[in-house]
Amino acid sequence: MILLPLLSALLIVSPVVGIWPRPRNLTTGTTPLRLSSSFTINLSGISQAPQDLTDAISRTTAFLKKDKLQALVPDRGASSTSAVNSASTLQSLTIKLSQSSGAIQSIGEGAMAGLGVTDESYTLQVPATGGTASLTANTALGLFRGLTTFGQLWYDLDGTTYLLNAPIQVTDSPSYPYRGFMLDTSRNYFPVDDIKRTLDAMSWVKINHLHWHVVDSQSFPLVVPGFEELSQKGAYSALEVYTPDNVKDIVAYAAARGIDIMVEVDTPGHTAIIAQSHPEHIACPQASPWSDFANEPPAGQLRLASSATTQFTANLFKNVAAMFPSKMLSTGGDELNTNCYAKDTQTQQDLKSQNKTLEQVLDTFTQATHSALRAAGKTPVVWEEMALEHQVKLSNDTIVLVWISSDHVAAVAQKGFRLIHAASDYFYLDCGAGEWLGNDINGNSWCDPFKTWQKSYSFNPTAGLTATQAKLVIGGQQLLWTEQSSSSNLDSIVWPRAASSAELFWSGPGGDVRSALPRLHDVAYRFVQRGVKAIPLQPQCR
Amino acid sequence: MILLPLLSALLIVSPVVGIWPRPRNLTTGTTPLRLSSSFTINLSGISQAPQDLTDAISRTTAFLKKDKLQALVPDRGASSTSAVNSASTLQSLTIKLSQSSGAIQSIGEGAMAGLGVTDESYTLQVPATGGTASLTANTALGLFRGLTTFGQLWYDLDGTTYLLNAPIQVTDSPSYPYRGFMLDTSRNYFPVDDIKRTLDAMSWVKINHLHWHVVDSQSFPLVVPGFEELSQKGAYSALEVYTPDNVKDIVAYAAARGIDIMVEVDTPGHTAIIAQSHPEHIACPQASPWSDFANEPPAGQLRLASSATTQFTANLFKNVAAMFPSKMLSTGGDELNTNCYAKDTQTQQDLKSQNKTLEQVLDTFTQATHSALRAAGKTPVVWEEMALEHQVKLSNDTIVLVWISSDHVAAVAQKGFRLIHAASDYFYLDCGAGEWLGNDINGNSWCDPFKTWQKSYSFNPTAGLTATQAKLVIGGQQLLWTEQSSSSNLDSIVWPRAASSAELFWSGPGGDVRSALPRLHDVAYRFVQRGVKAIPLQPQCR
């Protein structure tokens, strides 16, 4: 569409069917259709519709009116004017459950029910004759996915909302139960509205998990009941926090958009900030040079050999778990620095008095925190080092985030753990923007180069895995570490790139970048129309 | 300031003097000072102040009230509360010309008077005793530079505007007359408000030239009187244009902020879009595969062997020149593709009938366009190929933009041309964001890696030049090519990075990145307070 724009300007080009992620099954025709100015979405046979479903219908109706996205073809659709003006009119969309029932589970309940528990499939039919379209699903969550698709079918031509490809038949369901996006809110703080806007954008491409890396060594913005001192002393400022009310609000906002929030409190590393309120729990706080003690400044790790620190951490997880209804919670576990403990007198004394190795106390520490999670009904999630580099007894249902390299996927699968693709060589959105430490004139980011959407889109989730191992892949995500991000560039660094893994893990691998590109442009331009500042991937089409 | 944040949190740290670019001479003390709530800026001995000077005073006064920038130290200045509360008060700033005169030249007249014609130097004194500060300069433009500096001295602590480093004495002037920023508005369109906001930001770091790469092969948004068909057929849409009124508005807005606008109409390459309205003037339009005919799609170049095309182009330059009061105008001249002409039947016939080589007609073409500029009182500016790769007789006063590589600087200087540093290996802001052509899964940008602020900051403008050649360096700039930029990421891709060359070419080379970093943070956070979405360079300070 964009390549050779002048050549394509000589042709009459139909708009692409801009559905993203691409449906598992899609058939389209060549009949134009207009949306009636009195178009309505009607529930059929659902007596007590959950509030989040009726809200989703209202949002969809609003998008149909307000998107006003011109077709991304050289003439912006002008050559279709007469065809559109004489087209049949779609009066309504009827949505119903496959099997009628009385009170049904809400979108949010479906989203938070656990990995793959709630059926997200749906069927959508838009007849060439106009009249009434139909959307059917087994759950409110499935209906929501279908509404999202319906909202992507339409373009604007001089105030008329239309499409050119009726009849449209979609039968759709996700390839993987976990389609995520990770946001770090510790390196820099993001206001609640930024997170909500990101959740909206995620939902538009059917991402169903926010992996919220809420705290880290740099700041502790999460206000945890019973542990308020952590944020009081550890947030960047009193205003740069997430209160329990904020969290409740964000969780509900996400749930209503089909998104579960998997929070992470990274332990026992990445915890330097806890020294601000609890110096007794932190080894090697602010040790210098930091590069001997941590992968980035400041140094500082939980004293995992201390029973008091272990109990403190388990209690912290208990209280964090109570804030987040998701069945998954990450205890982190990446980049543990052994030198930090080697130089920490108290840790060495604790090890000696218990006659244990560091790996043995790491196991004890992990059992304690994971037990606290299990008692709260959560499945623990960890970064790959906990499965590959340490001698920690993880229970079989633990979920592992593979981040260091996609080459490590097979090793995790060989150990029998379910895994989430989050490899830095494919999915890190912050790579390629230079060394942020500031003193290195020629420094590049540690994970150069920049990860293009094409790169993440081309990933094969089951490469090198046996059929049995392939079943351990529950999905994947792109990730934003925010050393150099803030409100100023959140949208532009994430979108439309993060949509590439959304399609990969919904539609399955093997998509062709050439045919994906015009649809991804559609995503970018529709996002902008909806207030999310996605960037163009190429010069504009003409 | 940011490195080892927890360590620095244990110290009482004074805010840096956040002036950017750093003054040529600066002395500071250790006395705190508050800004009076009735603070005023008064003109002394200037009977008829130009409107743009009184406007600049109003803007400065507004910034002092509205910036509300907390000191970027771990406690945000809280430890200075009692010192600030008991500090003396600055009641006013008196600004005056070194030699009193009646009607004086405006900031804008000074900015557009030509390279280095108008004295930008100023002297600023803020006494430790409070009372009245003084700003003195030889010109309104100099006074404006001093006002800009004055606006960077102040921080906010619970509603009190203060500084900690009085007395402050600044004696300042630029190292180079050309400190620029280049914006491409062809690959993607930027609304007028984006350009104005960028001009504001540029002025805050004393950048004094906008190199406006207004048109290119992808779109022709500039509405040129007498050549309206170019934008009518060549703009992305009827709304995505710059009308003569827009240009007048932008030029005036820039001038009032001490910025001259050097427009570029790139010729004879980078002109494919002209084929939309004038196919008779374009060789190899939309030729395929584009990579045989151009460095990026779409292919298409002016038929430089045609006298009709040459005349057309000269007339176009005449009319463009009339829109822009600057004394400089760029005719481009980069990336000329000879194969395009080899395959163009008309060009080959034209060459044959004139018995000339391509280089000979390029010379004729260039003489014609440059003559048109000279007749309009302009100095021509060209990309480096015109000086280094072609046999074109450029007049001695031609200014050359070195872009391909900083290694080519010496060759341009050896030919005796004045030059502007714009090398892709130091100054291209768009590098490192992936290959935008879309079909290459592993493609990086052609000019990887990302150019960090540290990299551009470390550039030596006179490396490898003799003392005589060094005098040919008139300055430099960072550049944004916008294949993957729009309103969505304009601020975040440009700021604060483009401030690095602003300091390099104002203050001179040799700045230390470690001591620059906290001041550059100051730039970034102050920009955000003023509505320009600069990004953080590191995790936030605490």
Side-chain angles (χ1 to χ4, degrees), chain B residues 166-178:
Chain B
I168 297 174
Q169 165 91 32
V170 179
T171 307
D172 203 9
S173 61
S175 293
Y176 291 96
Y178 184 101

Side-chain angles (χ1 to χ4, degrees), chain B residues 211-482:
Chain B
H211 172 187
W212 190 359
H213 186 89
V214 62
V215 298
D216 206 295
S217 276
Q218 285 77 7
S219 77
F220 201 105
L222 185 67
V223 181
V224 182
F227 291 81
E228 287 84 354
E229 70 278 10
L230 291 172
S231 52
Q232 276 163 7
K233 303 269 185 160
Y236 282 130
S237 72
L239 294 175
E240 290 166 296
V241 295
Y242 305 106
T243 67
D245 280 349
N246 291 151
V247 169
K248 195 176 284 188
D249 181 28
I250 290 168
V251 164
Y253 195 91
R257 284 152 185 81
I259 297 169
D260 190 24
I261 295 187
M262 176 178 88
V263 74
E264 173 177 348
V265 177
D266 202 351
T267 56
H270 289 270
T271 47
I273 194 67
I274 291 175
Q276 297 289 87
S277 50
H278 290 282
E280 71 277 18
H281 291 316
I282 298 298
C284 77
Q286 307 106 41
S288 179
W290 60 263
S291 53
D292 286 353
F293 298 92
N295 279 19
E296 72 178 68
Q301 303 182 155
L302 285 164
R303 283 181 165 137
L304 41 56
S306 152
S307 59
T309 299
T310 302
Q311 191 58 50
F312 166 85
T313 311
N315 289 343
L316 174 62
F317 272 114
K318 180 185 170 192
N319 290 14
V320 170
M323 300 175 77
F324 291 88
S326 174
K327 299 213 184 307
M328 295 192 289
L329 198 154
S330 173
T331 59
D334 58 319
E335 299 187 317
L336 201 59
N337 184 296
T338 54
N339 187 51
C340 169
Y341 294 124
K343 300 286 166 60
D344 184 54
T345 309
Q346 186 190 317
T347 297
Q348 292 308 310
Q349 287 175 346
D350 287 340
L351 290 173
K352 198 171 178 185
S353 68
Q354 298 170 62
N355 194 27
K356 285 190 173 168
T357 66
L358 197 62
E359 288 297 328
Q360 286 172 325
V361 295
L362 175 61
D363 186 44
T364 305
F365 178 91
T366 306
Q367 301 306 332
T369 57
H370 284 198
S371 292
L373 292 191
R374 286 182 197 292
K378 312 292 188 192
T379 301
V381 180
V382 295
W383 294 108
E384 63 170 274
E385 291 98 315
M386 293 297 280
L388 299 180
E389 296 184 11
H390 298 294
Q391 283 121 47
V392 171
K393 290 182 289 292
L394 300 172
S395 68
N396 291 341
D397 66 339
T398 305
I399 296 168
V400 177
L401 291 152
V402 179
W403 73 276
I404 297 175
S405 168
S406 55
D407 292 341
H408 299 179
V409 168
V412 171
Q414 278 159 22
K415 290 186 177 263
F417 293 115
R418 290 180 295 171
L419 64 91
I420 294 170
H421 288 296
S424 56
D425 48 338
Y426 282 86
F427 298 121
Y428 272 30
L429 295 167
D430 50 307
C431 299
E435 168 58 73
W436 58 266
L437 286 170
N439 56 346
D440 187 351
I441 287 169
N442 293 307
N444 299 327
S445 71
W446 70 271
C447 53
D448 260 21
F450 180 91
K451 308 306 172 216
T452 64
W453 74 267
Q454 297 97 317
K455 175 84 174 171
S456 46
Y457 192 76
S458 70
F459 185 74
N460 181 351
T462 57
L465 302 184
T466 66
T468 306
Q469 289 168 350
K471 289 178 185 156
L472 296 168
V473 176
I474 62 172
Q477 63 187 8
Q478 280 160 298
L479 308 89
L480 183 64
W481 301 103
T482 60

Side-chain angles (χ1 to χ4, degrees), chain B residues 42-49 94-97 99-104:
Chain B
N42 308 309
L43 287 164
S44 170
I46 304 174
S47 52
Q48 289 180 296
T94 297
I95 75 179
K96 56 175 185 267
L97 294 171
Q99 294 166 331
S100 64
S101 61
I104 65 166

Side-chain angles (χ1 to χ4, degrees), chain A residues 317-440:
Chain A
F317 273 114
K318 180 184 169 194
N319 290 14
V320 170
M323 300 175 76
F324 291 88
S326 174
K327 299 213 185 305
M328 295 191 291
L329 197 153
S330 172
T331 59
D334 58 319
E335 300 187 317
L336 201 60
N337 184 295
T338 53
N339 187 51
C340 169
Y341 293 124
K343 298 286 166 62
D344 184 55
T345 308
Q346 187 191 317
T347 297
Q348 292 308 310
Q349 288 175 347
D350 287 341
L351 290 172
K352 198 171 177 186
S353 68
Q354 298 170 62
N355 194 27
K356 285 189 173 168
T357 65
L358 197 62
E359 287 297 328
Q360 287 172 324
V361 296
L362 175 60
D363 186 45
T364 306
F365 179 90
T366 306
Q367 301 307 332
T369 56
H370 285 198
S371 293
L373 291 191
R374 286 183 197 293
K378 311 292 188 193
T379 301
V381 181
V382 295
W383 294 108
E384 63 170 273
E385 291 99 314
M386 293 296 280
L388 298 180
E389 296 185 9
H390 298 293
Q391 283 120 48
V392 171
K393 290 182 288 291
L394 299 173
S395 69
N396 291 341
D397 67 340
T398 305
I399 296 169
V400 177
L401 291 152
V402 180
W403 73 275
I404 297 175
S405 168
S406 55
D407 292 341
H408 299 179
V409 168
V412 171
Q414 278 160 23
K415 289 187 177 264
F417 293 115
R418 290 181 294 171
L419 63 91
I420 294 170
H421 289 296
S424 57
D425 48 337
Y426 281 85
F427 298 120
Y428 272 30
L429 295 167
D430 51 308
C431 298
E435 168 58 73
W436 58 266
L437 286 169
N439 56 345
D440 186 351

